[in-house]
Amino acid sequence: MQLKELSGQSGVSAASIKYYLREGLLPAGGTVHATRAEYSARHVERLKLIQALRRIVGLNIEQIRGLLKMADDGAPRLALLAAVQHVVLHLESATSGDVPTPVADAVVRLRNWPNYPSDARNALNAHLELMESLNITVSGELLDTYSKAMDDVAGLDIAATTAPESVDQLILTAAVGMHMHSQLLLKLLALAQASHAIRRYEHGA
């Protein structure tokens, strides 16, 4: 297909497609002659991925470029999923949590999670350190309840995101899923908190 057809199938303007080509986010089409290129279904899939990462997840061009480069370079799926999680859940803010905390280690043992370093574990360490500095107590019961719930949720999420054979589809499913599911969890938590508050205080008001 030519540029006009690619634009029609993907729903992306010709100007945006040319921009993504210049930025290296979209692979060049096959050369027909000096002023014409031929595009394929792979280009449609990549454009849909780029648009979803920008519009739904809210990633910037550099973040998208980093993920797509890993995909095109043949990065292992575990590394790719970790990179998606890093940018989608903003784990880059956790720069001070690379030293394991006893509480984080206890959660790993409690849930029988792999004792493996990751940005996610660093983020948990950093957050627990912050809570401790603010004198916010994190009890073992709370960690048990929270981590059990998250373990169940994560099992469902990962089962869905590791299924696609296409790497672009893997990134799309993982990134959109992580973003939307994390927002869903926050909304459900907000509703649950509001409901508990209403039960407790409505009749006493």
Side-chain angles (χ1 to χ4, degrees):
M1 73 185 82
Q2 296 176 17
L3 181 63
K4 183 177 180 180
E5 295 171 287
L6 177 61
S7 176
Q9 285 201 26
S10 64
V12 180
S13 69
S16 293
I17 292 173
K18 291 176 181 178
Y19 171 70
Y20 297 146
L21 286 166
R22 288 195 304 271
E23 290 295 315
L25 303 183
L26 188 67
T31 302
V32 176
H33 55 68
T35 60
R36 182 174 295 178
E38 190 75 18
Y39 301 96
S40 67
R42 180 179 174 231
H43 292 89
V44 176
E45 182 180 56
R46 175 59 61 93
L47 283 170
K48 289 182 177 179
L49 170 60
I50 294 169
Q51 292 296 89
L53 292 178
R54 291 193 72 183
R55 295 181 177 178
I56 300 175
V57 185
L59 301 188
N60 61 43
I61 292 297
E62 286 305 312
Q63 290 171 323
I64 296 172
R65 191 199 315 279
L67 293 178
L68 297 184
K69 186 177 187 309
M70 287 184 69
D72 292 339
D73 288 348
R77 289 195 169 206
L78 180 59
L80 196 52
L81 286 172
V84 170
Q85 186 184 56
H86 181 89
V87 295
V88 172
L89 301 183
H90 308 290
L91 300 184
E92 62 270 17
S93 61
T95 56
S96 63
D98 55 354
V99 178
T101 62
V103 181
D105 285 348
V107 172
V108 170
R109 291 192 301 270
L110 180 65
R111 298 271 71 91
N112 197 29
W113 289 336
N115 188 12
Y116 191 84
S118 66
D119 290 341
R121 189 166 181 173
N122 290 345
L124 176 61
N125 288 327
H127 192 73
L128 289 168
E129 289 175 356
L130 175 61
M131 292 181 75
E132 183 179 356
S133 71
L134 296 173
N135 295 318
I136 300 174
T137 302
V138 180
S139 67
E141 181 183 5
L142 183 144
L143 281 174
D144 185 21
T145 302
Y146 277 30
S147 63
K148 174 62 171 64
M150 294 303 98
D151 194 40
D152 292 341
V153 170
L156 295 173
D157 288 352
I158 295 300
T161 59
T162 54
E165 291 185 6
S166 162
V167 177
D168 278 14
Q169 194 64 34
L170 173 67
I171 296 174
L172 176 63
T173 306
V176 173
M178 286 179 189
H179 174 71
M180 298 305 293
H181 288 167
S182 64
Q183 292 301 310
L184 174 61
L185 287 173
L186 288 175
K187 271 58 175 186
L188 284 170
L189 177 60
L191 178 57
Q193 290 170 338
S195 299
H196 277 269
I198 291 168
R199 286 173 182 166
R200 175 168 295 188
Y201 299 112
E202 182 182 30
H203 299 296

